[in-house]
Amino acid sequence: MRSVKKSALICVFLILLTMLSPVTAQTRRQPVDLLVVGGTIVTMDQTRRVIDNGGIAVSNGRIVAIGPRGEIESRYTSRQKVNATGKVITPGLINGHTHVPMVLFRGLADDLDLQEWLTKYIFPAEAKNVTEEFVRVGARLGLAEMIRGGTTTYCDMYYFEDAIADETAKAGVRGVLGETVIDFPVADNKTNVEAMAYVEKFVARWKGHDLIVPAIAPHAPYTVSEEHLKAVRAFSDRTGAPIVTHISETKREVDDSVKAKGASPVAYLERIGFLNERVIAAHMVWPQGTDIAILQRRGVGVVHNPQSNMKLASGVAPVPRMLTDKVLLGLGTDGAASNNDLNMWEEMDTVAKLHKVFSGDPKVISAQQAFELATIRCAQALHLEKEIGSLETGKRGDLLVIDRDTLNQIPLYNVYSDLVYATKAADVETVIINGRVVMRNRRLLTLNETAVKADARTFRDRIIKSLSTATGP
Ligand SMILES: [Zn+2]
């Protein structure tokens, strides 16, 4: 009798425990701002972990936890959930080099070399058209294009960069944004004194912002004097602002530098004490002699722009060698006028294929390396690897959910191969930046796409007219 009573009691206790346990677990779950669950997570962390049926918890803009879905869902709860079942979750792509408002010059002048393209078309078009309004309208078009294509961070150089920062923050996109310093009068500043005063105010305004890293952008060593380059470096030392620039883009630039300064652009910049771990140098198509060793030693970030370099026939950067020699190397599109889009999927595909055909070795850059160049390696080149570039606890919540059900992705054997050689920008379904959903199921949430397109179209006629008056009847 006694033992029957005892076992009945145990039974009741067990039933109660079963009934109560889900409630107990639920009450213990930590509320977070956002949960992304299901799907294959390509983390790009140090071990390049790929988690099947994974989960990510994000709070206050940062990743709180990442792991198997069951584990994440048992520990965290959120009112905002993205179900990524059957899809791929990756870090947001990083476009290491842009001039974002130049989308308004997309297709204006093609099939020319850099000097002719710049001096006959781009510089005159800029002189006649670039205003703060132009820059804002162009930035919104470029930002919409970048979000759609899964770019969550970009590194820019243009005029009125303060207005670009404003549009970028409003769109919820992350940017390293450099205000141009150049030794001739431009749209926003007519003298070096004006430009330096602008940069001073610009950097003070945006420093410490969650999304914007304000930077100073001397155009190139051939358009900015030694004295002004030294002032840029001193400004960067004082404020910690990154320095965004172009170096060794064409053979002609290198030959001219050797003639005028007795050194390659990199060697010249080293000689004047310009290079350090805050410099982000676009192109580097023609490093000479010990240039690569200098770049590596100084911790300079280099951004390779394969499609722009191909289109302007600037040459082929020694990317495999820079990778072997441990240069901090990332990938970018350059401005849309020389590309002609801001699509990092194409850039990844191109970087892998260009260097295979150029070296005659199909193993020279793997699909995984190409994907690294648009994520964690590009974060290193922008000196932001502690914040972005991979999906890890403590890093910013910048991530993509990519559809895996489009015809061009079926069937899937290797996730990196799929991402680099088969995925298209249109396959990006949901984009999250700093924990905020900026595109959900292909719908832009921070920009009005119809208005963005209409505003951009109004500039077409204005630009054509300005160029016809510039060249005369
Ligand atoms: Zn550029």
Side-chain angles (χ1 to χ4, degrees):
M1 184 69 190
R2 220 176 170 168
S3 70
V4 173
K5 216 173 171 183
K6 204 176 169 186
S7 51
L9 266 174
I10 291 170
C11 264
V12 170
F13 177 75
L14 283 174
I15 290 165
L16 274 174
L17 196 72
T18 325
M19 284 167 64
L20 286 173
S21 60
V23 180
T24 322
Q26 207 156 24
T27 49
R28 275 201 208 124
R29 279 197 271 170
Q30 189 187 321
V32 291
D33 296 340
L34 173 72
L35 279 177
V36 184
V37 293
T40 301
I41 305 177
V42 179
T43 65
M44 302 312 284
D45 68 6
Q46 283 224 320
T47 61
R48 303 290 185 258
R49 185 164 60 132
V50 174
I51 308 166
D52 282 323
N53 196 21
I56 303 175
V58 182
S59 239
N60 299 315
R62 288 187 187 271
I63 296 170
V64 177
I66 177 164
R69 177 182 189 160
E71 192 189 308
I72 297 299
E73 282 187 319
S74 69
R75 285 165 57 202
Y76 300 96
T77 179
S78 177
R79 276 191 216 159
Q80 206 189 173
K81 217 169 185 175
V82 172
N83 186 347
T85 306
K87 304 175 197 299
V88 173
I89 302 164
T90 72
L93 303 182
I94 303 171
N95 188 342
H97 184 60
T98 63
H99 309 280
V100 72
M102 291 184 84
V103 286
L104 295 179
F105 295 137
R106 189 192 328 255
L108 177 71
D110 297 308
D111 313 325
L112 300 164
D113 68 39
L114 179 72
Q115 279 313 311
E116 196 181 358
W117 176 79
L118 261 184
T119 53
K120 278 198 184 156
Y121 295 90
I122 297 303
F123 285 154
E126 285 184 330
K128 299 244 167 209
N129 293 285
V130 176
T131 59
E132 187 179 325
E133 189 202 359
F134 171 100
V135 160
R136 282 185 183 274
V137 168
R140 289 200 290 271
L141 178 65
L143 285 160
E145 185 186 348
M146 286 194 283
I147 294 173
R148 273 219 172 286
T151 293
T152 56
T153 296
Y154 73 113
C155 179
D156 197 63
M157 171 200 287
Y158 211 60
Y159 313 106
F160 298 103
E161 204 68 38
D162 188 65
I164 297 176
D166 193 38
E167 296 297 337
T168 304
K170 279 190 208 157
V173 174
R174 193 179 304 289
V176 177
L177 306 178
E179 167 66 15
T180 298
V181 173
I182 194 163
D183 284 355
F184 54 81
V186 286
D188 52 351
N189 296 299
K190 303 302 167 206
T191 64
N192 182 259
V193 173
E194 273 181 46
M196 293 305 283
Y198 183 110
V199 174
E200 191 82 50
K201 262 173 77 180
F202 169 61
V203 170
R205 180 178 171 198
W206 293 98
K207 210 172 172 214
H209 191 277
D210 257 356
L211 292 169
I212 309 300
V213 179
I216 183 163
H219 174 263
Y222 63 93
T223 49
V224 184
S225 70
E226 180 176 333
E227 183 199 345
H228 292 162
L229 286 172
K230 284 179 173 165
V232 164
R233 170 64 198 265
F235 173 83
S236 169
D237 286 347
R238 179 161 57 79
T239 59
I243 300 171
V244 179
T245 190
H246 299 106
I247 305 179
S248 292
E249 182 172 359
T250 61
K251 179 81 172 37
R252 180 174 159 182
E253 176 190 340
V254 174
D255 292 345
D256 289 352
S257 175
V258 170
K259 251 185 247 158
K261 296 163 185 138
S264 71
V266 172
Y268 158 70
L269 291 170
E270 170 72 353
R271 189 173 75 203
I272 67 166
F274 181 81
L275 300 174
N276 72 354
E277 73 294 339
R278 282 190 307 275
V279 174
I280 301 161
H283 299 302
M284 204 58 67
V285 179
W286 296 96
Q288 307 288 300
T290 57
D291 286 2
I292 290 178
I294 293 170
L295 296 168
Q296 195 277 332
R297 195 169 65 241
R298 292 290 175 206
V300 172
V302 172
V303 179
H304 174 47
N305 305 274
Q307 289 202 341
S308 172
N309 296 158
M310 287 163 74
K311 188 157 180 275
L312 296 165
S314 301
V316 180
V319 164
R321 202 182 137 209
M322 288 196 273
L323 286 173
T324 311
D325 291 359
K326 298 190 166 41
V327 172
L328 304 173
L329 188 70
L331 205 54
T333 56
D334 206 351
S338 62
N339 187 298
N340 290 355
D341 54 32
L342 303 173
N343 184 335
M344 288 299 291
W345 300 96
E346 284 185 13
E347 225 60 43
M348 283 189 275
D349 183 72
T350 304
V351 76
K353 290 174 182 167
L354 168 66
H355 296 285
K356 290 178 201 306
V357 72
F358 189 66
S359 65
D361 177 4
K363 295 176 184 169
V364 78
I365 292 183
S366 66
Q368 184 179 321
Q369 280 177 313
F371 198 67
E372 289 170 357
L373 285 167
T375 54
I376 187 64
R377 284 183 187 272
C378 204
Q380 290 163 351
L382 301 189
H383 313 297
L384 285 175
E385 70 281 2
K386 290 197 178 90
E387 295 283 308
I388 56 170
S390 60
L391 300 176
E392 292 177 75
T393 302
K395 282 203 177 181
R396 300 280 185 172
D398 294 6
L399 54 126
L400 315 178
V401 177
I402 299 157
D403 192 2
R404 282 246 51 260
D405 196 37
T406 55
L407 293 170
N408 51 287
Q409 291 178 310
I410 296 168
L412 169 79
Y413 295 105
N414 174 294
V415 76
Y416 295 111
S417 158
D418 190 60
L419 288 167
V420 171
Y421 299 127
T423 300
K424 307 294 170 201
D427 299 330
V428 178
E429 199 174 85
T430 294
V431 177
I432 296 156
I433 306 177
N434 213 45
R436 180 186 186 192
V437 183
V438 297
M439 181 169 83
R440 187 187 279 269
N441 295 326
R442 297 192 173 88
R443 205 166 75 84
L444 297 179
L445 302 180
T446 55
L447 287 154
N448 177 339
E449 194 165 343
T450 312
V452 164
K453 289 197 270 194
D455 290 349
R457 285 196 178 106
T458 63
F459 273 89
R460 183 179 175 273
D461 293 345
R462 285 200 230 175
I463 292 165
I464 291 173
K465 223 170 150 187
S466 76
L467 283 178
S468 61
T469 50
T471 49

